[in-house]
Amino acid sequence: CRVPSRWAAARSPARRTSTTTGAGHLPLHQLHRRSGELPADRPVWVHCAGGMRAGIAASLLDAAGFEVIAVDDAFGAAAEAGLAVVTPAPSAPATASA
């Protein structure tokens, strides 16, 4: 639910831990206007690193009639539900140049 520049930074290989295939990005401030893009026939999964934006998004979506699942930081709920969880390979440590 972050603005695009912050979402991209959080998804950088150095910071990303997991994601699900088919995941998308919908900033919280656009949620009301773009909620029609979300599937009404299956649960909508929400996540943010700190949990606050995901909690707000989940509340708004629930009030709008969506079935909502908040994904924990470990993506355990996603894996247990059978979603394909993708975990990137660890990045090699940066080396200092001379």
Side-chain angles (χ1 to χ4, degrees), residues 6-7 10 16 21-22 32 35 42 58 61 67 71 73 81 86 92 98:
R6 289 187 179 173
W7 185 78
R16 183 173 49 182
T21 55
H32 178 71
S35 64
R42 62 184 189 270
L61 290 169
E67 181 181 351
V71 181
D73 283 339
V86 179

Side-chain angles (χ1 to χ4, degrees), residues 18-85:
S18 298
T19 189
T20 58
T21 55
H25 175 239
L26 182 56
L28 184 59
H29 69 278
Q30 295 178 7
L31 185 59
H32 178 71
R33 179 170 44 95
R34 294 179 53 196
S35 64
E37 298 175 24
L38 300 173
D41 61 337
R42 62 184 189 270
V44 175
W45 294 64
V46 295
H47 176 266
C48 82
M52 181 175 275
R53 288 177 303 272
I56 294 168
S59 178
L60 293 171
L61 290 169
D62 181 63
F66 287 92
E67 181 181 351
V68 183
I69 299 172
V71 181
D72 62 356
D73 283 339
F75 281 76
E80 289 173 12
L83 294 177
V85 176

